[in-house]
Amino acid sequence: MPTNAPTAEPLVDPDLCDRVLAVALRRGGELAELFAEDRSTHTVTLEDGRVEALRSGRERGVGIRVLRDGRAVYAHTTDLSEDGLLAAAAAAAAAVRHHPGDPRVAILPVDGTARAARIPARSPTEVAAAERLDLLRRADDAARSTSPSVRQVRVGCTDEERRILVVTSEGHRATDRQIRTRFSVTCVAHGDTGPQVGTEAPGRTTGHELFATRPPEEVARTAARRAVGKLRAVPAPSGRMPVVLARGAGGVLFHEACGHGLEADLVDRGASVYAGRLGERVAPAGVTLVDDGGLADDWGSAAIDDEGVPVRRNVLIDDGVLVGYLWDRRSGGRAGRASSGNGRRESFRHLPMVRMTNTFLLPGSEDPAEIIRRTPRGLYCVALGGGQVDTATGDFTFGVTEAYLIEDGRVTAPVRDAQLIGNGPATLAAIDAVGSDFDTWAGTCGKDGQGVPVSAGQPTLRVAALTVGGTAT
Amino acid sequence: MTLTDHARALVAEAASGEQVEVYLVESRTVEVEVRDERVESFCAATDTGASVRVVTDGREGLAWAAHPAELPGALTAARANAAASEPDPTLGLPDPGDCSGPAVELDLWCDDVPGTPVEDKVALALALERATLGADPRIRGAEKVAYRDAATRTVLCTSTGVVVEDRRTACSVTTVAMAEDGDGTQTGWGLCARRRVADLDVAAAATEATTRALRLLGAAPVRSRRTTVVFDPLVTRSLLALVGAALCGDAVQRGRSIFTDRLGEEVAAGTVTLVEDPTLTEAWGAATHDGEGVPTRRVPLIDGGRLETFLHNVTSARRAGARTTGSAARPLHAPPGVAARALHLTGGRRRLEEIVASVDDAFYVQAVTGLHSGVNVVSGDLSLGAVGCLVRGGALARPVREVTIASTLPRLLRSVREVGADLRWLPGGAAGCTLVVDDVTLSGT
């Protein structure tokens, strides 16, 4: 595989940055920001036992943002020549005039110190093609040997190295080098009741060190076991019932059910059910929700956010009481406070906005097995697909991809895929057991058309009542 | 250098026995979001993307870059990627015969998209916010009020002589209305998307958003039941897109489709005739050629309930022993896939209002959530969050939220009682229309 790795040179020459920022501010504005990005990606996939087309790419680009009175103008370009960058800056400056805003908004300086970028011992760009392909074949073999009913196996490995540079007209300058690896296995198993799918897709902010904790064989067996287990699945129940969420996967429920509603841009627009509720009890005692972009190598981790602000640990709900929101520089400016390090963007093509990083509920003290034993009837959810929320109403849905009936305090038959539906504030208030275990889940969070890597985590939890959308009555 | 010059220069580098394909995109975009009668954010950009695919002895490799000037490096990377992949004799560029047929002529470009002054585009967004907020005293806010446009040129060029240039414009206004009464907030989404700025209907988008939000005020869960469902055209559009994905040859061949081994069988009610036709100008995905440079054509997929054919690109057709249907999709970051561009149901005679008026007892589904996780096109299981209204005696009655609807895709298709005549083309690969489906499980309280 070609090593088209990013080089160690500055993404944009420092003198040129200054000239670009000066042009961007020519027509007014309090703050100009240059965001440069250099991203190299490698993807290998295997399906039907064959290594498919290898894919790789390198994308470099620059975005120039001017903030005036709390409003943003943005121009981005893939032309990184001096002329290209100055033209983009001029385009941003020209748009400032369309832009009367609220002159009371002041963007506060960046505070805090960023930790050093965490660079794994070996960049994935240095991994040879043969080594990547070996990972795929090991997973394929492991999945197929799990059960003869596994007929289709798809394995994929994507790794990327992303360098970013943020320079602002206030003199703030920050860089980061982010390396991410994700491995996914999808199996289709066939049985008397038709085919079923199982997927497992761990991701970490590191290189192929991922495989030290998640060997390809283990990931493959998890996906295969999930597909095979569902061959004897019964139709999912329908109606309201207690739901026990196993550690890890259920974190996405709280990402949807309350995390998005705590993003300050939505709060500020009145588009969140959590607006104006700071200091209020929003969950039972024992429920503490944290967003922390600085965890060692979780999928949503980095040294700085995409506005150059050091990431940090932000407590959002403390023992059931709402204590904080997530902020970027712009929403912080409107509220007279600094960013919490949550200004993120998908790429140089996008304006940053308030985003979660690694968001999780802290473990409590109850024995997970005991939580199930105390549940006479309900649903036990082990793996979840994607979710969705309307932050203005708090209503959310998310898909269950591995779940079991709970009957008489025991986990019994697997059930077919179904949605869970509920209301964020009501669901938080209905948490009635918090386990002592913990795990996380990696995913891509979408908001206004931008996807960013996030993780979600939680201990085993019980929600007293959620609506399960199956077909069994 | 023009895009085409860049592309031609690169494919000329193809070595003997090597097939090279270049795909280039250049788009000029404007995006304005407004709030409180002011511009909240403004983004203008000229964006580019370049992708190179190489096939040598059945080995395929792909590489991309952000700018056409970086094509030579991408070619080197694509060659190395091909060398490391494993061979498959079905891979490769189209055969000459695949590309030689006549192609439809389409004019999908309007000069007023790049040409309209930015001030006028901002004014459209501001007018939409005013129209949303002024529609009713119960509308307390408007979220994500935006104007967006794109003027996009693409070139597909191969070492086998294919050169397909495409240019198209698109513009849209969107708004989310927030309605409130004593019981809480409800939201409704409104959109108008056109190829010409002058055709944008701000009032229609505002009315759509506010009607949808106001209709849900007071919504609550209802008791679980089996029911007939009337899908709004916007919901039908999303469901058709999923059906379309399951009708793609590559998904079928890999056992990732409910339609595997069903060719020629009755897979839907007799009311269902599903057609893919990118030659229609009104289709948002209209195109003269597909992502491999093959002329597009009308493809009847399901005729009166019977499964007639699958969609194919060159590779899936070779594997099936069939001919490509001109249905290749070409992402920048992956080799050609198969995708529907202009899927729609035909044969409907009545619109939503007439259909509702004829229904005694049903659930009108205005919007669904969980589409990306709630529909499994392998097992066929379908479970979605839904909001809407009960239909009682031919009229919309009690508003409903926090319920799910569940069935399986095969059962849903077999239970289609009526297809509406109200086709609505929107960005995406499928058109919506009203759809009446029996025997759906509603889960509520």
Side-chain angles (χ1 to χ4, degrees):
Chain A
M1 185 154 302
T3 50
N4 49 2
T7 60
E9 296 153 26
L11 294 175
V12 180
D13 175 75
D15 288 343
L16 179 54
C17 284
D18 291 343
R19 289 203 297 284
V20 167
L21 292 172
V23 168
L25 283 178
R26 210 166 46 191
R27 308 283 283 271
E30 292 96 48
L31 183 71
E33 171 201 77
L34 180 149
F35 175 84
E37 182 179 46
D38 183 351
R39 185 197 301 258
S40 284
T41 310
H42 289 93
T43 297
V44 291
T45 55
L46 176 147
E47 179 143 13
D48 285 341
R50 186 183 67 85
V51 173
E52 299 180 315
L54 277 67
R55 292 134 62 181
S56 60
R58 180 177 179 190
E59 286 199 300
R60 283 174 290 183
V62 165
I64 292 155
R65 179 167 68 143
V66 180
L67 292 176
R68 180 182 186 184
D69 303 337
R71 315 281 162 144
V73 295
Y74 196 61
H76 59 84
T77 182
T78 54
D79 179 352
L80 304 187
S81 67
E82 177 159 353
D83 287 352
L85 295 181
L86 292 172
V96 169
R97 69 199 146 97
H98 305 299
H99 229 248
D102 181 346
R104 291 163 302 177
V105 175
I107 307 294
L108 297 188
V110 173
D111 64 1
T113 310
R115 62 166 168 81
R118 282 200 182 88
I119 309 300
R122 187 171 61 146
S123 167
T125 53
E126 296 162 22
V127 174
E131 192 176 329
R132 288 169 202 276
L133 304 188
D134 183 54
L135 296 166
L136 304 186
R137 294 194 183 100
R138 282 162 59 192
D140 188 51
D141 288 346
R144 289 179 191 281
S145 61
T146 301
S147 163
S149 58
V150 172
R151 301 265 185 86
Q152 298 282 329
V153 181
R154 179 172 180 80
V155 190
C157 180
T158 293
D159 47 58
E160 71 169 30
E161 173 160 352
R162 178 186 190 233
R163 287 177 69 213
I164 61 170
L165 163 72
V166 181
V167 183
T168 72
S169 55
E170 330 143 276
H172 181 63
R173 186 175 190 285
T175 62
D176 195 14
R177 196 171 153 207
Q178 298 159 3
I179 290 172
R180 291 194 168 85
T181 301
R182 190 155 198 202
F183 191 73
S184 70
V185 181
T186 299
C187 297
V188 179
H190 284 253
D192 296 341
T193 55
Q196 287 288 350
V197 190
T199 295
E200 177 71 0
R204 306 293 288 183
T205 303
T206 186
H208 284 216
E209 291 78 3
L210 166 71
F211 301 107
T213 50
R214 300 300 308 270
E217 292 84 356
E218 176 265 321
V219 177
R221 281 193 289 266
T222 300
R225 180 185 53 72
R226 207 160 264 162
V228 172
K230 278 196 285 186
L231 291 177
R232 52 187 185 87
V234 299
S238 71
R240 284 173 73 77
M241 64 194 67
V243 172
V244 178
L245 299 157
R247 69 190 163 99
V252 67
L253 187 150
F254 298 95
H255 172 104
E256 300 295 347
C258 67
H260 279 297
L262 302 177
E263 293 166 343
D265 52 349
L266 299 173
V267 172
D268 186 42
R269 282 184 222 160
S272 166
V273 282
Y274 292 103
R277 298 194 60 190
L278 278 182
E280 289 182 24
R281 174 162 295 282
V282 296
V287 173
T288 294
L289 183 73
V290 174
D291 183 89
D292 188 348
L295 296 179
D297 61 357
D298 276 65
W299 188 234
S301 293
I304 54 172
D305 70 4
D306 298 318
E307 296 181 297
V309 179
V311 297
R312 68 186 71 168
R313 180 181 177 92
N314 294 293
V315 178
L316 304 172
I317 297 172
D318 187 5
D319 206 20
V321 176
L322 181 63
V323 295
Y325 299 123
L326 298 170
W327 309 83
D328 61 4
R329 297 195 72 189
R330 194 151 62 113
S331 63
R334 287 181 194 274
R337 53 157 296 151
S339 164
S340 62
N342 290 89
R344 304 182 68 192
R345 52 182 130 201
E346 180 177 310
S347 78
F348 68 89
R349 296 186 170 93
H350 302 88
L351 271 168
M353 59 179 153
V354 186
R355 303 301 294 262
M356 286 175 265
T357 60
N358 308 301
T359 314
F360 45 91
L361 283 172
L362 296 185
S365 56
E366 296 184 60
D367 175 5
E370 182 59 26
I371 294 174
I372 292 168
R373 268 199 296 278
R374 284 196 287 113
T375 307
R377 176 182 170 271
L379 193 71
Y380 179 57
C381 299
V382 177
L384 306 178
Q388 190 175 342
V389 65
D390 181 337
T391 56
T393 65
D395 287 347
F396 68 86
T397 50
F398 69 109
V400 174
T401 55
E402 181 184 355
Y404 304 83
L405 296 177
I406 302 175
E407 297 170 295
D408 299 327
R410 287 183 307 114
V411 173
T412 61
V415 303
R416 298 177 72 102
D417 293 353
Q419 293 283 304
L420 296 188
I421 189 163
N423 180 264
T427 301
L428 268 191
I431 295 175
D432 64 359
V434 181
S436 56
D437 53 351
F438 184 79
D439 203 357
T440 62
W441 166 94
T444 300
C445 169
K447 178 178 174 184
D448 293 351
Q450 292 193 43
V452 296
V454 297
S455 79
Q458 60 146 68
T460 296
L461 283 174
R462 188 172 70 184
V463 178
L466 274 176
T467 299
V468 181
T471 54
T473 44
Chain B
M1 270 171 89
T2 66
L3 283 187
T4 307
D5 294 338
H6 275 291
R8 283 186 190 276
L10 195 83
V11 299
E13 300 285 315
S16 166
E18 178 184 63
Q19 295 186 323
V20 177
E21 174 196 81
V22 180
Y23 179 57
L24 301 178
V25 181
E26 180 183 280
S27 63
R28 290 173 60 192
T29 59
V30 169
E31 190 172 329
V32 189
E33 194 172 332
V34 301
R35 182 183 150 195
D36 301 339
E37 299 174 50
R38 288 171 169 151
V39 174
E40 170 77 6
S41 66
F42 179 93
C43 180
T46 299
D47 198 13
T48 55
S51 182
V52 180
R53 181 164 68 112
V54 168
V55 185
T56 305
D57 299 329
R59 295 176 194 268
E60 183 178 59
L62 184 117
W64 67 89
H67 198 274
E70 299 168 277
L71 276 172
L75 176 61
T76 304
R79 282 173 169 159
N81 285 341
S85 76
E86 291 179 344
D88 178 335
T90 64
L91 295 174
L93 300 180
D95 299 321
D98 290 329
C99 298
S100 61
V104 64
E105 286 189 21
L106 294 168
D107 182 8
L108 308 174
W109 178 275
C110 294
D111 283 332
D112 86 338
V113 170
T116 299
V118 165
E119 290 82 353
D120 294 359
K121 296 176 180 179
V122 171
L124 280 171
L126 292 170
L128 177 59
E129 187 187 38
R130 280 194 303 276
T132 306
L133 292 172
D136 188 285
R138 292 169 296 169
I139 301 294
R140 68 150 172 101
E143 217 203 325
K144 298 176 187 166
V145 182
Y147 167 93
R148 291 187 184 83
D149 70 33
T152 305
R153 296 169 190 273
T154 64
V155 177
L156 183 82
C157 189
T158 72
S159 58
T160 51
V162 170
V163 180
V164 176
E165 297 171 312
D166 181 90
R167 61 171 201 165
R168 60 184 63 220
T169 52
C171 53
S172 67
V173 286
T174 57
T175 179
V176 176
M178 289 189 283
E180 192 170 88
D181 61 4
D183 290 343
T185 299
Q186 296 297 333
T187 59
W189 184 68
L191 163 74
C192 180
R194 298 283 185 263
R195 298 195 199 282
R196 183 191 308 273
V197 178
D199 292 342
L200 285 175
D201 189 340
V202 162
T207 301
E208 178 174 34
T210 55
T211 303
R212 285 171 168 262
L214 291 167
R215 185 187 279 156
L216 293 179
L217 281 174
V222 292
R223 294 254 298 279
S224 301
R225 67 193 69 185
R226 285 266 170 136
T227 183
T228 295
V229 164
V230 179
F231 286 115
D232 186 88
L234 293 181
V235 179
T236 305
R237 164 175 167 261
S238 302
L239 293 173
L240 281 189
L242 292 164
V243 171
L247 287 166
C248 289
D250 53 350
V252 171
Q253 288 157 6
R254 287 166 163 173
R256 287 203 298 257
S257 165
I258 53 165
F259 297 114
T260 298
D261 300 328
R262 303 297 308 276
L263 211 55
E265 296 180 17
E266 302 292 326
V267 297
T271 48
V272 175
T273 292
L274 181 66
V275 176
E276 157 76 357
D277 192 357
T279 68
L280 297 173
T281 307
E282 64 269 30
W284 204 263
T288 60
H289 297 77
D290 75 354
E292 291 177 301
V294 174
T296 57
R297 68 208 65 175
R298 184 177 194 274
V299 185
L301 292 162
I302 298 175
D303 187 5
R306 185 174 183 274
L307 179 56
E308 297 290 330
T309 184
F310 295 121
L311 296 173
H312 285 300
N313 65 10
V314 165
T315 294
S316 75
R318 285 175 186 155
R319 286 177 184 161
R323 291 291 299 275
T324 170
T325 56
S327 305
R330 178 65 159 92
L332 277 167
H333 299 174
V338 186
R341 309 179 63 101
L343 210 55
H344 59 289
L345 291 164
T346 68
R349 293 195 313 279
R350 304 191 292 177
R351 306 178 59 80
L352 175 64
E353 298 74 21
E354 301 165 80
I355 290 172
V356 165
S358 71
V359 174
D360 192 43
D361 182 1
F363 177 33
Y364 159 69
V365 176
Q366 174 173 300
V368 292
T369 55
L371 273 164
H372 55 308
S373 61
V375 182
N376 186 326
V377 295
V378 178
S379 69
D381 288 326
L382 178 149
S383 172
L384 297 165
V387 295
C389 300
L390 296 183
V391 180
R392 288 281 182 265
L396 296 184
R398 179 178 169 185
V400 177
R401 57 168 270 273
E402 205 180 338
V403 300
T404 61
I405 50 171
S407 182
T408 65
L409 269 182
R411 192 170 92 205
L412 193 89
L413 288 170
R414 284 195 307 270
S415 308
V416 174
R417 187 202 295 180
E418 180 169 355
V419 168
D422 42 3
L423 267 194
R424 185 169 175 195
W425 292 101
L426 286 172
C433 63
T434 301
L435 199 66
V436 184
V437 179
D438 293 322
D439 194 24
V440 172
T441 305
L442 183 160
S443 297
T445 56

